[in-house]
mmCIF file with all atom_site columns, all heavy atoms in Angstrom:
data_model
loop_
_atom_site.group_PDB
_atom_site.id
_atom_site.type_symbol
_atom_site.label_atom_id
_atom_site.label_alt_id
_atom_site.label_comp_id
_atom_site.label_asym_id
_atom_site.label_entity_id
_atom_site.label_seq_id
_atom_site.pdbx_PDB_ins_code
_atom_site.Cartn_x
_atom_site.Cartn_y
_atom_site.Cartn_z
_atom_site.occupancy
_atom_site.B_iso_or_equiv
_atom_site.pdbx_formal_charge
_atom_site.auth_seq_id
_atom_site.auth_comp_id
_atom_site.auth_asym_id
_atom_site.auth_atom_id
_atom_site.pdbx_PDB_model_num
ATOM 1  N N   . ARG A 1 283 ? 92.039 51.028 100.695 1.00 0.00 ? 283 ARG A N   1
ATOM 2  C CA  . ARG A 1 283 ? 91.373 49.946 101.379 1.00 0.00 ? 283 ARG A CA  1
ATOM 3  C C   . ARG A 1 283 ? 90.546 49.008 100.473 1.00 0.00 ? 283 ARG A C   1
ATOM 4  O O   . ARG A 1 283 ? 90.457 47.949 100.532 1.00 0.00 ? 283 ARG A O   1
ATOM 5  C CB  . ARG A 1 283 ? 90.446 50.511 102.501 1.00 0.00 ? 283 ARG A CB  1
ATOM 6  C CG  . ARG A 1 283 ? 91.169 51.361 103.587 1.00 0.00 ? 283 ARG A CG  1
ATOM 7  C CD  . ARG A 1 283 ? 90.319 51.631 104.775 1.00 0.00 ? 283 ARG A CD  1
ATOM 8  N NE  . ARG A 1 283 ? 88.981 52.126 104.412 1.00 0.00 ? 283 ARG A NE  1
ATOM 9  C CZ  . ARG A 1 283 ? 88.759 53.552 104.263 1.00 0.00 ? 283 ARG A CZ  1
ATOM 10 N NH1 . ARG A 1 283 ? 89.825 54.344 104.595 1.00 0.00 ? 283 ARG A NH1 1
ATOM 11 N NH2 . ARG A 1 283 ? 87.520 53.961 103.958 1.00 0.00 ? 283 ARG A NH2 1
ATOM 12 N N   . GLY A 1 284 ? 89.864 49.772 99.550  1.00 0.00 ? 284 GLY A N   1
ATOM 13 C CA  . GLY A 1 284 ? 89.029 48.964 98.550  1.00 0.00 ? 284 GLY A CA  1
ATOM 14 C C   . GLY A 1 284 ? 89.913 48.197 97.673  1.00 0.00 ? 284 GLY A C   1
ATOM 15 O O   . GLY A 1 284 ? 89.433 47.041 97.297  1.00 0.00 ? 284 GLY A O   1
ATOM 16 N N   . PHE A 1 285 ? 91.036 48.703 97.223  1.00 0.00 ? 285 PHE A N   1
ATOM 17 C CA  . PHE A 1 285 ? 91.989 47.935 96.434  1.00 0.00 ? 285 PHE A CA  1
ATOM 18 C C   . PHE A 1 285 ? 92.432 46.671 97.167  1.00 0.00 ? 285 PHE A C   1
ATOM 19 O O   . PHE A 1 285 ? 92.572 45.584 96.558  1.00 0.00 ? 285 PHE A O   1
ATOM 20 C CB  . PHE A 1 285 ? 93.157 48.796 95.888  1.00 0.00 ? 285 PHE A CB  1
ATOM 21 C CG  . PHE A 1 285 ? 94.237 48.065 95.362  1.00 0.00 ? 285 PHE A CG  1
ATOM 22 C CD1 . PHE A 1 285 ? 94.097 47.643 93.956  1.00 0.00 ? 285 PHE A CD1 1
ATOM 23 C CD2 . PHE A 1 285 ? 95.391 47.704 95.947  1.00 0.00 ? 285 PHE A CD2 1
ATOM 24 C CE1 . PHE A 1 285 ? 95.089 47.020 93.387  1.00 0.00 ? 285 PHE A CE1 1
ATOM 25 C CE2 . PHE A 1 285 ? 96.499 47.032 95.432  1.00 0.00 ? 285 PHE A CE2 1
ATOM 26 C CZ  . PHE A 1 285 ? 96.248 46.646 94.028  1.00 0.00 ? 285 PHE A CZ  1
ATOM 27 N N   . ALA A 1 286 ? 92.734 46.836 98.441  1.00 0.00 ? 286 ALA A N   1
ATOM 28 C CA  . ALA A 1 286 ? 93.348 45.758 99.269  1.00 0.00 ? 286 ALA A CA  1
ATOM 29 C C   . ALA A 1 286 ? 92.164 44.662 99.367  1.00 0.00 ? 286 ALA A C   1
ATOM 30 O O   . ALA A 1 286 ? 92.434 43.487 99.304  1.00 0.00 ? 286 ALA A O   1
ATOM 31 C CB  . ALA A 1 286 ? 93.689 46.216 100.511 1.00 0.00 ? 286 ALA A CB  1
ATOM 32 N N   . ASP A 1 287 ? 90.988 45.174 99.642  1.00 0.00 ? 287 ASP A N   1
ATOM 33 C CA  . ASP A 1 287 ? 89.893 44.223 99.650  1.00 0.00 ? 287 ASP A CA  1
ATOM 34 C C   . ASP A 1 287 ? 89.715 43.356 98.380  1.00 0.00 ? 287 ASP A C   1
ATOM 35 O O   . ASP A 1 287 ? 89.494 42.139 98.435  1.00 0.00 ? 287 ASP A O   1
ATOM 36 C CB  . ASP A 1 287 ? 88.553 44.919 99.904  1.00 0.00 ? 287 ASP A CB  1
ATOM 37 C CG  . ASP A 1 287 ? 88.441 45.567 101.299 1.00 0.00 ? 287 ASP A CG  1
ATOM 38 O OD1 . ASP A 1 287 ? 89.176 44.994 102.216 1.00 0.00 ? 287 ASP A OD1 1
ATOM 39 O OD2 . ASP A 1 287 ? 87.620 46.500 101.530 1.00 0.00 ? 287 ASP A OD2 1
ATOM 40 N N   . TRP A 1 288 ? 89.753 44.165 97.222  1.00 0.00 ? 288 TRP A N   1
ATOM 41 C CA  . TRP A 1 288 ? 89.626 43.506 96.002  1.00 0.00 ? 288 TRP A CA  1
ATOM 42 C C   . TRP A 1 288 ? 90.663 42.561 95.603  1.00 0.00 ? 288 TRP A C   1
ATOM 43 O O   . TRP A 1 288 ? 90.498 41.381 95.284  1.00 0.00 ? 288 TRP A O   1
ATOM 44 C CB  . TRP A 1 288 ? 89.599 44.482 94.946  1.00 0.00 ? 288 TRP A CB  1
ATOM 45 C CG  . TRP A 1 288 ? 89.783 43.943 93.501  1.00 0.00 ? 288 TRP A CG  1
ATOM 46 C CD1 . TRP A 1 288 ? 88.823 43.423 92.698  1.00 0.00 ? 288 TRP A CD1 1
ATOM 47 C CD2 . TRP A 1 288 ? 90.993 43.827 92.733  1.00 0.00 ? 288 TRP A CD2 1
ATOM 48 N NE1 . TRP A 1 288 ? 89.325 43.005 91.417  1.00 0.00 ? 288 TRP A NE1 1
ATOM 49 C CE2 . TRP A 1 288 ? 90.655 43.290 91.565  1.00 0.00 ? 288 TRP A CE2 1
ATOM 50 C CE3 . TRP A 1 288 ? 92.229 44.315 93.076  1.00 0.00 ? 288 TRP A CE3 1
ATOM 51 C CZ2 . TRP A 1 288 ? 91.705 43.026 90.600  1.00 0.00 ? 288 TRP A CZ2 1
ATOM 52 C CZ3 . TRP A 1 288 ? 93.278 44.085 92.075  1.00 0.00 ? 288 TRP A CZ3 1
ATOM 53 C CH2 . TRP A 1 288 ? 92.910 43.508 90.766  1.00 0.00 ? 288 TRP A CH2 1
ATOM 54 N N   . LEU A 1 289 ? 91.910 42.808 95.982  1.00 0.00 ? 289 LEU A N   1
ATOM 55 C CA  . LEU A 1 289 ? 93.117 42.092 95.753  1.00 0.00 ? 289 LEU A CA  1
ATOM 56 C C   . LEU A 1 289 ? 93.038 40.784 96.595  1.00 0.00 ? 289 LEU A C   1
ATOM 57 O O   . LEU A 1 289 ? 93.371 39.758 96.079  1.00 0.00 ? 289 LEU A O   1
ATOM 58 C CB  . LEU A 1 289 ? 94.417 42.874 95.927  1.00 0.00 ? 289 LEU A CB  1
ATOM 59 C CG  . LEU A 1 289 ? 95.761 42.070 95.608  1.00 0.00 ? 289 LEU A CG  1
ATOM 60 C CD1 . LEU A 1 289 ? 95.683 41.656 94.154  1.00 0.00 ? 289 LEU A CD1 1
ATOM 61 C CD2 . LEU A 1 289 ? 96.840 42.951 95.958  1.00 0.00 ? 289 LEU A CD2 1
ATOM 62 N N   . SER A 1 290 ? 92.570 40.904 97.846  1.00 0.00 ? 290 SER A N   1
ATOM 63 C CA  . SER A 1 290 ? 92.500 39.780 98.705  1.00 0.00 ? 290 SER A CA  1
ATOM 64 C C   . SER A 1 290 ? 91.532 38.740 98.150  1.00 0.00 ? 290 SER A C   1
ATOM 65 O O   . SER A 1 290 ? 91.735 37.563 98.037  1.00 0.00 ? 290 SER A O   1
ATOM 66 C CB  . SER A 1 290 ? 92.117 40.191 100.154 1.00 0.00 ? 290 SER A CB  1
ATOM 67 O OG  . SER A 1 290 ? 91.848 39.070 100.949 1.00 0.00 ? 290 SER A OG  1
ATOM 68 N N   . LYS A 1 291 ? 90.363 39.348 97.641  1.00 0.00 ? 291 LYS A N   1
ATOM 69 C CA  . LYS A 1 291 ? 89.414 38.450 97.085  1.00 0.00 ? 291 LYS A CA  1
ATOM 70 C C   . LYS A 1 291 ? 89.914 37.847 95.816  1.00 0.00 ? 291 LYS A C   1
ATOM 71 O O   . LYS A 1 291 ? 89.647 36.632 95.548  1.00 0.00 ? 291 LYS A O   1
ATOM 72 C CB  . LYS A 1 291 ? 88.097 39.205 96.766  1.00 0.00 ? 291 LYS A CB  1
ATOM 73 C CG  . LYS A 1 291 ? 87.008 38.391 96.250  1.00 0.00 ? 291 LYS A CG  1
ATOM 74 C CD  . LYS A 1 291 ? 85.674 39.296 96.081  1.00 0.00 ? 291 LYS A CD  1
ATOM 75 C CE  . LYS A 1 291 ? 84.571 38.454 95.453  1.00 0.00 ? 291 LYS A CE  1
ATOM 76 N NZ  . LYS A 1 291 ? 83.387 39.319 95.274  1.00 0.00 ? 291 LYS A NZ  1
ATOM 77 N N   . SER A 1 292 ? 90.498 38.615 94.934  1.00 0.00 ? 292 SER A N   1
ATOM 78 C CA  . SER A 1 292 ? 90.973 38.192 93.666  1.00 0.00 ? 292 SER A CA  1
ATOM 79 C C   . SER A 1 292 ? 92.053 37.118 93.765  1.00 0.00 ? 292 SER A C   1
ATOM 80 O O   . SER A 1 292 ? 92.086 36.049 92.991  1.00 0.00 ? 292 SER A O   1
ATOM 81 C CB  . SER A 1 292 ? 91.613 39.311 92.833  1.00 0.00 ? 292 SER A CB  1
ATOM 82 O OG  . SER A 1 292 ? 92.053 38.842 91.581  1.00 0.00 ? 292 SER A OG  1
ATOM 83 N N   . LEU A 1 293 ? 93.053 37.138 94.854  1.00 0.00 ? 293 LEU A N   1
ATOM 84 C CA  . LEU A 1 293 ? 94.006 36.299 95.076  1.00 0.00 ? 293 LEU A CA  1
ATOM 85 C C   . LEU A 1 293 ? 93.519 34.998 95.730  1.00 0.00 ? 293 LEU A C   1
ATOM 86 O O   . LEU A 1 293 ? 94.209 33.987 95.817  1.00 0.00 ? 293 LEU A O   1
ATOM 87 C CB  . LEU A 1 293 ? 95.139 36.870 95.814  1.00 0.00 ? 293 LEU A CB  1
ATOM 88 C CG  . LEU A 1 293 ? 95.980 38.015 95.067  1.00 0.00 ? 293 LEU A CG  1
ATOM 89 C CD1 . LEU A 1 293 ? 97.053 38.551 96.099  1.00 0.00 ? 293 LEU A CD1 1
ATOM 90 C CD2 . LEU A 1 293 ? 96.708 37.360 93.900  1.00 0.00 ? 293 LEU A CD2 1
ATOM 91 N N   . GLY A 1 294 ? 92.297 35.085 96.257  1.00 0.00 ? 294 GLY A N   1
ATOM 92 C CA  . GLY A 1 294 ? 91.673 34.009 96.928  1.00 0.00 ? 294 GLY A CA  1
ATOM 93 C C   . GLY A 1 294 ? 92.315 33.621 98.286  1.00 0.00 ? 294 GLY A C   1
ATOM 94 O O   . GLY A 1 294 ? 92.518 32.376 98.589  1.00 0.00 ? 294 GLY A O   1
#
Side-chain angles (χ1 to χ4, degrees):
R283 296 193 309 272
F285 172 76
D287 291 341
W288 166 81
L289 185 59
S290 177
K291 181 178 179 181
S292 181
L293 293 174

